[in-house]
Amino acid sequence: MRAPARERGGARDVIVPLPADFRLASGERLNQPNIVGRIHGRAGAPVVVVAGGISAGRFVHRTETNGLGWWSGAVSVRGPIDLSRLQVLAVDFAPGVEFLDKPVTITTGDQARLVALVLDHLKIERVAAFVGCSYGGMVALAFAELFPDRADQLVVVSAAHRAHPQATAWRGIQRRILQFAVDAGRPEEGVALARELAMTTYRTAEEFHDRFETTAPQAVGGAYPVCEYLTARGQAYRTHTTPARWVSMSDSLDRHSVTPEAITTPVTLIGFTSDRLVPIDDIRELAARLPTLWRFVEAPSLYGHDAFLKEDAFVGDILRAAFKDIKS
């Protein structure tokens, strides 16, 4: 359960060559030489795998050289996932943007196998916990189904055992926007527009009501306040990914499927009643079907699916409770 000591200076990258015979469940090969992870926290401490949404990666902690980790509200020194007593392993999801010229069919099970490759490289047979949020929660469930003896517990936030058809409908429209933009020779604009649509599914009607006036522009074609916000979010995201990677990851979300009864690892589930991408009824069904459910907590939130990134105190309390008995 303990990883090799890190290099001086804190976190370090772990670059794992992809085996020549590695194939995805589809039979396809990944056109990249390595899987890259990052170890954070106290050298020699118990290891916790942390995985987030499709835009998340290995930089999970805010003191990294890139300036801001994607889940610094949970992962920090003396935080809920305490880097003074634990190590965190985070991995960049495949496929990597720089190696992808067309979409690839990749499953959450494939991502789980890639995480296992990184653990094997580090000679970590078993981790103290696998914490997954959104897509990362799906990967955590797939990991437990494939590798029942490699994690002491799961903490799954805003994820279920399958994708909901309404979420698939929204993501299907995003994929068609991306393909239309590629065909038109305007891929970055397609990414921006798809991101705008995605933002409307991450958050709630109540939040938009509280944040934005309904003041009409002077003339038709002008931007309403909420549209200005969405346009800014889309423009900021244009260079973050490519249509091929987005389509691959979006399809992976919709392809996700695990059998809850096959998961024997103890599980803590966290869901939000305002989440439209992962409706609370799906998480309730998962909770009812898991044979080793430790705890299921649901709560309201203004932030919908993004609540796992916004409700730091609520999620943090559950994480602290889950990890209180891990011996460092």
Side-chain angles (χ1 to χ4, degrees), residues 172-195:
I173 294 170
Q174 293 165 29
R175 293 193 289 269
R176 291 192 291 279
I177 288 171
L178 290 163
Q179 187 58 57
F180 185 85
V182 169
D183 292 345
R186 301 163 73 175
E188 287 191 358
E189 291 180 57
V191 168
L193 189 57
R195 179 66 170 180

PDB file of all heavy atoms in Angstrom, residues 172-195:
ATOM      1  N   GLY A 172     -24.830  13.780 -26.604  1.00  0.00           N
ATOM      2  CA  GLY A 172     -24.931  13.478 -28.026  1.00  0.00           C
ATOM      3  C   GLY A 172     -25.026  14.739 -28.870  1.00  0.00           C
ATOM      4  O   GLY A 172     -24.426  14.827 -29.949  1.00  0.00           O
ATOM      5  N   ILE A 173     -25.764  15.740 -28.398  1.00  0.00           N
ATOM      6  CA  ILE A 173     -25.847  17.017 -29.109  1.00  0.00           C
ATOM      7  C   ILE A 173     -24.473  17.688 -29.137  1.00  0.00           C
ATOM      8  O   ILE A 173     -24.049  18.229 -30.164  1.00  0.00           O
ATOM      9  CB  ILE A 173     -26.891  17.935 -28.447  1.00  0.00           C
ATOM     10  CG1 ILE A 173     -28.286  17.337 -28.595  1.00  0.00           C
ATOM     11  CG2 ILE A 173     -26.849  19.332 -29.065  1.00  0.00           C
ATOM     12  CD1 ILE A 173     -29.348  18.044 -27.757  1.00  0.00           C
ATOM     13  N   GLN A 174     -23.762  17.639 -28.011  1.00  0.00           N
ATOM     14  CA  GLN A 174     -22.416  18.219 -27.977  1.00  0.00           C
ATOM     15  C   GLN A 174     -21.505  17.540 -29.002  1.00  0.00           C
ATOM     16  O   GLN A 174     -20.729  18.211 -29.702  1.00  0.00           O
ATOM     17  CB  GLN A 174     -21.826  18.079 -26.575  1.00  0.00           C
ATOM     18  CG  GLN A 174     -22.517  18.903 -25.513  1.00  0.00           C
ATOM     19  CD  GLN A 174     -22.152  18.458 -24.110  1.00  0.00           C
ATOM     20  OE1 GLN A 174     -21.072  17.940 -23.867  1.00  0.00           O
ATOM     21  NE2 GLN A 174     -23.076  18.635 -23.188  1.00  0.00           N
ATOM     22  N   ARG A 175     -21.580  16.225 -29.107  1.00  0.00           N
ATOM     23  CA  ARG A 175     -20.724  15.514 -30.066  1.00  0.00           C
ATOM     24  C   ARG A 175     -21.070  15.898 -31.499  1.00  0.00           C
ATOM     25  O   ARG A 175     -20.178  16.019 -32.359  1.00  0.00           O
ATOM     26  CB  ARG A 175     -20.844  13.997 -29.856  1.00  0.00           C
ATOM     27  CG  ARG A 175     -20.265  13.541 -28.519  1.00  0.00           C
ATOM     28  CD  ARG A 175     -20.105  12.037 -28.451  1.00  0.00           C
ATOM     29  NE  ARG A 175     -21.342  11.297 -28.358  1.00  0.00           N
ATOM     30  CZ  ARG A 175     -21.933  10.940 -27.219  1.00  0.00           C
ATOM     31  NH1 ARG A 175     -21.409  11.310 -26.048  1.00  0.00           N
ATOM     32  NH2 ARG A 175     -23.040  10.221 -27.230  1.00  0.00           N
ATOM     33  N   ARG A 176     -22.351  16.112 -31.784  1.00  0.00           N
ATOM     34  CA  ARG A 176     -22.738  16.512 -33.139  1.00  0.00           C
ATOM     35  C   ARG A 176     -22.301  17.950 -33.431  1.00  0.00           C
ATOM     36  O   ARG A 176     -21.925  18.265 -34.575  1.00  0.00           O
ATOM     37  CB  ARG A 176     -24.245  16.329 -33.330  1.00  0.00           C
ATOM     38  CG  ARG A 176     -24.648  14.847 -33.339  1.00  0.00           C
ATOM     39  CD  ARG A 176     -26.069  14.629 -33.812  1.00  0.00           C
ATOM     40  NE  ARG A 176     -27.072  15.109 -32.883  1.00  0.00           N
ATOM     41  CZ  ARG A 176     -27.491  14.455 -31.815  1.00  0.00           C
ATOM     42  NH1 ARG A 176     -26.946  13.289 -31.489  1.00  0.00           N
ATOM     43  NH2 ARG A 176     -28.436  14.950 -31.041  1.00  0.00           N
ATOM     44  N   ILE A 177     -22.337  18.799 -32.428  1.00  0.00           N
ATOM     45  CA  ILE A 177     -21.798  20.160 -32.596  1.00  0.00           C
ATOM     46  C   ILE A 177     -20.313  20.089 -32.953  1.00  0.00           C
ATOM     47  O   ILE A 177     -19.832  20.779 -33.869  1.00  0.00           O
ATOM     48  CB  ILE A 177     -21.993  20.985 -31.308  1.00  0.00           C
ATOM     49  CG1 ILE A 177     -23.464  21.344 -31.120  1.00  0.00           C
ATOM     50  CG2 ILE A 177     -21.139  22.258 -31.334  1.00  0.00           C
ATOM     51  CD1 ILE A 177     -23.788  21.962 -29.765  1.00  0.00           C
ATOM     52  N   LEU A 178     -19.578  19.253 -32.238  1.00  0.00           N
ATOM     53  CA  LEU A 178     -18.146  19.127 -32.481  1.00  0.00           C
ATOM     54  C   LEU A 178     -17.872  18.602 -33.889  1.00  0.00           C
ATOM     55  O   LEU A 178     -16.990  19.112 -34.593  1.00  0.00           O
ATOM     56  CB  LEU A 178     -17.531  18.197 -31.433  1.00  0.00           C
ATOM     57  CG  LEU A 178     -17.480  18.767 -30.017  1.00  0.00           C
ATOM     58  CD1 LEU A 178     -17.251  17.657 -28.999  1.00  0.00           C
ATOM     59  CD2 LEU A 178     -16.390  19.827 -29.889  1.00  0.00           C
ATOM     60  N   GLN A 179     -18.623  17.588 -34.309  1.00  0.00           N
ATOM     61  CA  GLN A 179     -18.410  17.045 -35.652  1.00  0.00           C
ATOM     62  C   GLN A 179     -18.765  18.074 -36.720  1.00  0.00           C
ATOM     63  O   GLN A 179     -18.066  18.206 -37.736  1.00  0.00           O
ATOM     64  CB  GLN A 179     -19.244  15.782 -35.854  1.00  0.00           C
ATOM     65  CG  GLN A 179     -18.945  15.056 -37.169  1.00  0.00           C
ATOM     66  CD  GLN A 179     -17.485  14.674 -37.281  1.00  0.00           C
ATOM     67  OE1 GLN A 179     -16.952  13.978 -36.421  1.00  0.00           O
ATOM     68  NE2 GLN A 179     -16.808  15.141 -38.335  1.00  0.00           N
ATOM     69  N   PHE A 180     -19.845  18.815 -36.502  1.00  0.00           N
ATOM     70  CA  PHE A 180     -20.237  19.869 -37.446  1.00  0.00           C
ATOM     71  C   PHE A 180     -19.131  20.912 -37.574  1.00  0.00           C
ATOM     72  O   PHE A 180     -18.794  21.353 -38.676  1.00  0.00           O
ATOM     73  CB  PHE A 180     -21.533  20.526 -36.958  1.00  0.00           C
ATOM     74  CG  PHE A 180     -22.103  21.539 -37.904  1.00  0.00           C
ATOM     75  CD1 PHE A 180     -22.927  21.146 -38.943  1.00  0.00           C
ATOM     76  CD2 PHE A 180     -21.824  22.892 -37.754  1.00  0.00           C
ATOM     77  CE1 PHE A 180     -23.459  22.086 -39.826  1.00  0.00           C
ATOM     78  CE2 PHE A 180     -22.352  23.837 -38.619  1.00  0.00           C
ATOM     79  CZ  PHE A 180     -23.176  23.424 -39.664  1.00  0.00           C
ATOM     80  N   ALA A 181     -18.534  21.288 -36.434  1.00  0.00           N
ATOM     81  CA  ALA A 181     -17.469  22.294 -36.451  1.00  0.00           C
ATOM     82  C   ALA A 181     -16.227  21.773 -37.162  1.00  0.00           C
ATOM     83  O   ALA A 181     -15.571  22.513 -37.910  1.00  0.00           O
ATOM     84  CB  ALA A 181     -17.130  22.703 -35.022  1.00  0.00           C
ATOM     85  N   VAL A 182     -15.896  20.516 -36.937  1.00  0.00           N
ATOM     86  CA  VAL A 182     -14.737  19.930 -37.633  1.00  0.00           C
ATOM     87  C   VAL A 182     -14.984  19.926 -39.138  1.00  0.00           C
ATOM     88  O   VAL A 182     -14.106  20.308 -39.936  1.00  0.00           O
ATOM     89  CB  VAL A 182     -14.474  18.497 -37.120  1.00  0.00           C
ATOM     90  CG1 VAL A 182     -13.465  17.779 -38.011  1.00  0.00           C
ATOM     91  CG2 VAL A 182     -13.968  18.537 -35.682  1.00  0.00           C
ATOM     92  N   ASP A 183     -16.176  19.516 -39.549  1.00  0.00           N
ATOM     93  CA  ASP A 183     -16.503  19.485 -40.982  1.00  0.00           C
ATOM     94  C   ASP A 183     -16.463  20.879 -41.593  1.00  0.00           C
ATOM     95  O   ASP A 183     -16.162  21.027 -42.787  1.00  0.00           O
ATOM     96  CB  ASP A 183     -17.889  18.868 -41.184  1.00  0.00           C
ATOM     97  CG  ASP A 183     -17.939  17.389 -40.840  1.00  0.00           C
ATOM     98  OD1 ASP A 183     -16.860  16.765 -40.721  1.00  0.00           O
ATOM     99  OD2 ASP A 183     -19.060  16.855 -40.660  1.00  0.00           O
ATOM    100  N   ALA A 184     -16.762  21.889 -40.772  1.00  0.00           N
ATOM    101  CA  ALA A 184     -16.750  23.271 -41.253  1.00  0.00           C
ATOM    102  C   ALA A 184     -15.359  23.908 -41.179  1.00  0.00           C
ATOM    103  O   ALA A 184     -15.190  25.065 -41.569  1.00  0.00           O
ATOM    104  CB  ALA A 184     -17.737  24.112 -40.452  1.00  0.00           C
ATOM    105  N   GLY A 185     -14.374  23.168 -40.655  1.00  0.00           N
ATOM    106  CA  GLY A 185     -13.028  23.705 -40.522  1.00  0.00           C
ATOM    107  C   GLY A 185     -12.881  24.695 -39.390  1.00  0.00           C
ATOM    108  O   GLY A 185     -11.960  25.511 -39.388  1.00  0.00           O
ATOM    109  N   ARG A 186     -13.751  24.609 -38.375  1.00  0.00           N
ATOM    110  CA  ARG A 186     -13.718  25.544 -37.239  1.00  0.00           C
ATOM    111  C   ARG A 186     -13.751  24.774 -35.916  1.00  0.00           C
ATOM    112  O   ARG A 186     -14.648  24.933 -35.108  1.00  0.00           O
ATOM    113  CB  ARG A 186     -14.894  26.516 -37.341  1.00  0.00           C
ATOM    114  CG  ARG A 186     -14.875  27.312 -38.644  1.00  0.00           C
ATOM    115  CD  ARG A 186     -16.203  27.957 -38.959  1.00  0.00           C
ATOM    116  NE  ARG A 186     -16.511  29.082 -38.113  1.00  0.00           N
ATOM    117  CZ  ARG A 186     -17.590  29.859 -38.274  1.00  0.00           C
ATOM    118  NH1 ARG A 186     -18.454  29.594 -39.239  1.00  0.00           N
ATOM    119  NH2 ARG A 186     -17.809  30.868 -37.460  1.00  0.00           N
ATOM    120  N   PRO A 187     -12.766  23.920 -35.687  1.00  0.00           N
ATOM    121  CA  PRO A 187     -12.817  23.028 -34.517  1.00  0.00           C
ATOM    122  C   PRO A 187     -12.812  23.765 -33.181  1.00  0.00           C
ATOM    123  O   PRO A 187     -13.516  23.357 -32.260  1.00  0.00           O
ATOM    124  CB  PRO A 187     -11.565  22.162 -34.678  1.00  0.00           C
ATOM    125  CG  PRO A 187     -10.656  22.950 -35.553  1.00  0.00           C
ATOM    126  CD  PRO A 187     -11.555  23.688 -36.496  1.00  0.00           C
ATOM    127  N   GLU A 188     -12.040  24.828 -33.039  1.00  0.00           N
ATOM    128  CA  GLU A 188     -11.991  25.531 -31.759  1.00  0.00           C
ATOM    129  C   GLU A 188     -13.323  26.175 -31.431  1.00  0.00           C
ATOM    130  O   GLU A 188     -13.743  26.195 -30.266  1.00  0.00           O
ATOM    131  CB  GLU A 188     -10.879  26.576 -31.758  1.00  0.00           C
ATOM    132  CG  GLU A 188      -9.474  25.979 -31.679  1.00  0.00           C
ATOM    133  CD  GLU A 188      -8.421  27.029 -31.412  1.00  0.00           C
ATOM    134  OE1 GLU A 188      -8.766  28.236 -31.318  1.00  0.00           O
ATOM    135  OE2 GLU A 188      -7.239  26.652 -31.311  1.00  0.00           O
ATOM    136  N   GLU A 189     -14.014  26.687 -32.428  1.00  0.00           N
ATOM    137  CA  GLU A 189     -15.333  27.261 -32.188  1.00  0.00           C
ATOM    138  C   GLU A 189     -16.323  26.174 -31.776  1.00  0.00           C
ATOM    139  O   GLU A 189     -17.219  26.403 -30.951  1.00  0.00           O
ATOM    140  CB  GLU A 189     -15.830  27.985 -33.441  1.00  0.00           C
ATOM    141  CG  GLU A 189     -15.042  29.252 -33.764  1.00  0.00           C
ATOM    142  CD  GLU A 189     -15.569  29.939 -35.008  1.00  0.00           C
ATOM    143  OE1 GLU A 189     -16.778  30.266 -35.034  1.00  0.00           O
ATOM    144  OE2 GLU A 189     -14.786  30.117 -35.953  1.00  0.00           O
ATOM    145  N   GLY A 190     -16.155  24.980 -32.332  1.00  0.00           N
ATOM    146  CA  GLY A 190     -17.008  23.868 -31.929  1.00  0.00           C
ATOM    147  C   GLY A 190     -16.794  23.483 -30.476  1.00  0.00           C
ATOM    148  O   GLY A 190     -17.757  23.219 -29.747  1.00  0.00           O
ATOM    149  N   VAL A 191     -15.533  23.473 -30.033  1.00  0.00           N
ATOM    150  CA  VAL A 191     -15.236  23.185 -28.638  1.00  0.00           C
ATOM    151  C   VAL A 191     -15.882  24.232 -27.735  1.00  0.00           C
ATOM    152  O   VAL A 191     -16.484  23.901 -26.706  1.00  0.00           O
ATOM    153  CB  VAL A 191     -13.712  23.126 -28.407  1.00  0.00           C
ATOM    154  CG1 VAL A 191     -13.388  23.116 -26.915  1.00  0.00           C
ATOM    155  CG2 VAL A 191     -13.114  21.896 -29.083  1.00  0.00           C
ATOM    156  N   ALA A 192     -15.764  25.504 -28.119  1.00  0.00           N
ATOM    157  CA  ALA A 192     -16.338  26.573 -27.302  1.00  0.00           C
ATOM    158  C   ALA A 192     -17.854  26.430 -27.192  1.00  0.00           C
ATOM    159  O   ALA A 192     -18.431  26.556 -26.104  1.00  0.00           O
ATOM    160  CB  ALA A 192     -15.972  27.934 -27.902  1.00  0.00           C
ATOM    161  N   LEU A 193     -18.522  26.169 -28.311  1.00  0.00           N
ATOM    162  CA  LEU A 193     -19.982  26.079 -28.303  1.00  0.00           C
ATOM    163  C   LEU A 193     -20.445  24.835 -27.533  1.00  0.00           C
ATOM    164  O   LEU A 193     -21.421  24.891 -26.764  1.00  0.00           O
ATOM    165  CB  LEU A 193     -20.507  26.043 -29.734  1.00  0.00           C
ATOM    166  CG  LEU A 193     -22.026  26.173 -29.904  1.00  0.00           C
ATOM    167  CD1 LEU A 193     -22.549  27.450 -29.256  1.00  0.00           C
ATOM    168  CD2 LEU A 193     -22.401  26.137 -31.381  1.00  0.00           C
ATOM    169  N   ALA A 194     -19.745  23.726 -27.705  1.00  0.00           N
ATOM    170  CA  ALA A 194     -20.108  22.517 -26.958  1.00  0.00           C
ATOM    171  C   ALA A 194     -19.925  22.735 -25.461  1.00  0.00           C
ATOM    172  O   ALA A 194     -20.709  22.248 -24.644  1.00  0.00           O
ATOM    173  CB  ALA A 194     -19.263  21.337 -27.440  1.00  0.00           C
ATOM    174  N   ARG A 195     -18.882  23.482 -25.095  1.00  0.00           N
ATOM    175  CA  ARG A 195     -18.656  23.794 -23.680  1.00  0.00           C
ATOM    176  C   ARG A 195     -19.779  24.662 -23.127  1.00  0.00           C
ATOM    177  O   ARG A 195     -20.208  24.483 -21.975  1.00  0.00           O
ATOM    178  CB  ARG A 195     -17.318  24.509 -23.513  1.00  0.00           C
ATOM    179  CG  ARG A 195     -16.968  24.918 -22.098  1.00  0.00           C
ATOM    180  CD  ARG A 195     -16.754  23.726 -21.202  1.00  0.00           C
ATOM    181  NE  ARG A 195     -16.192  24.125 -19.907  1.00  0.00           N
ATOM    182  CZ  ARG A 195     -15.897  23.295 -18.926  1.00  0.00           C
ATOM    183  NH1 ARG A 195     -16.086  21.998 -19.084  1.00  0.00           N
ATOM    184  NH2 ARG A 195     -15.392  23.736 -17.790  1.00  0.00           N
TER     185      ARG A 195
END
